[in-house]
Amino acid sequence: MIKIMLTAALVLFSVAIAIALYRIISGPSLPDRVVAMDMIVVNLISAVAIISILLETKAFLEVILILGILAFISTIALSKYVERGVIIERKRNR
Amino acid sequence: MNASEIGEFLVVLLILIGSIISVISALGIIRFPDVYTRSHAATKSATLGVLLSLTGAFIYIWLTDHFISVRLILGILFVFITAPVSGHLIIRAAYRSHVEMTEDTVEDELKPVLNDKR
């Protein structure tokens, strides 16, 4: 019963990832695609948590933390690119 | 069915509710008309879904293995802090780069503020 419910939750998360993938392919602007990318990584985090319950291991819990940090850094870099055109700015006086 | 199995069942029910909320948020990201409403759907309810499922995983590991996973607590805190911040930044960048709103928008309170500053 527990295994069936966990598998159903995994299937629902992959449905959410597939729908966000459709938004990445057909999004009209670049911020649409970045928002959908952020949502894919967030769903991937919870999929990793469910898989680590299903396999009865604690070895995948670092993956959750690292995926969270990577999603935050990549979203901030992409938003700086959308806003200003560069990600790392040069020094102004020289 | 003893007490521990009932506890595991409730935790897995929590994870299932989180996945249903995440699917609702995905429907929002596909049905809403412009990028601002889409990010409203994506940041709020996807964050709630991932928080529910991570909390479920934490309590499940606590019940079955008697192991309090500090990494999972850190992951919950980090997602809870950074997901609204990243949504705010990308929507601010979208407004600054003149992404169109939908035609149903009746009021844009940020526009006169930005025009006064320039």
Side-chain angles (χ1 to χ4, degrees):
Chain A
M1 185 67 188
I2 284 176
K3 195 155 277 189
I4 292 173
M5 284 168 73
L6 283 177
T7 314
L10 203 55
V11 169
L12 285 179
F13 276 121
S14 42
V15 165
I17 288 179
I19 294 175
L21 202 60
Y22 168 74
R23 179 49 71 193
I24 281 189
I25 292 170
S26 80
S29 64
L30 186 57
D32 277 314
R33 297 190 167 100
V34 181
V35 166
M37 186 269 310
D38 198 25
M39 194 183 151
I40 280 182
V41 182
V42 160
N43 284 327
L44 204 59
I45 288 173
S46 35
V48 168
I50 294 174
I51 286 173
S52 97
I53 289 180
L54 272 177
L55 296 181
E56 295 175 354
T57 175
K58 293 191 288 292
F60 295 154
L61 298 182
E62 289 98 347
V63 179
I64 294 169
L65 206 52
I66 289 173
L67 274 182
I69 294 170
L70 276 183
F72 183 58
I73 291 175
S74 61
T75 309
I76 283 184
L78 278 173
S79 72
K80 270 192 89 170
Y81 172 71
V82 168
E83 192 167 348
R84 296 180 186 164
V86 291
I87 295 177
I88 300 172
E89 295 174 5
R90 293 181 192 155
K91 283 182 181 172
R92 202 164 287 167
N93 48 358
R94 197 157 65 88
Chain B
M1 194 180 235
N2 50 9
S4 148
E5 285 190 6
I6 291 175
E8 290 175 10
F9 181 77
L10 289 180
V11 165
V12 175
L13 197 64
L14 202 66
I15 293 177
L16 199 61
I17 289 172
S19 70
I20 290 171
I21 287 175
S22 181
V23 168
I24 290 172
S25 136
L27 287 182
I29 211 175
I30 208 172
R31 291 279 296 169
F32 277 149
D34 62 349
V35 64
Y36 307 100
T37 47
R38 263 177 226 142
S39 84
H40 169 83
T43 52
K44 285 188 180 62
S45 43
T47 308
L48 179 61
V50 72
L51 284 185
L52 280 179
S53 72
L54 284 186
T55 312
F58 171 69
I59 300 175
Y60 188 89
I61 290 175
W62 192 10
L63 282 181
T64 55
D65 287 353
H66 304 286
F67 177 76
I68 297 180
S69 165
V70 183
R71 288 166 288 184
L72 216 41
I73 296 178
L74 279 180
I76 291 170
L77 274 180
F78 196 80
V79 170
F80 184 61
I81 292 172
T82 61
V85 176
S86 60
H88 166 78
L89 279 176
I90 189 62
I91 288 308
R92 184 166 167 267
Y95 189 85
R96 290 279 176 89
S97 61
H98 307 291
V99 176
E100 289 291 319
M101 293 187 186
T102 175
E103 289 90 6
D104 297 336
T105 309
V106 293
E107 196 168 2
D108 186 5
E109 287 187 344
L110 192 55
K111 198 170 186 175
V113 178
L114 285 183
N115 284 338
D116 281 345
K117 197 187 279 183
R118 278 171 196 166

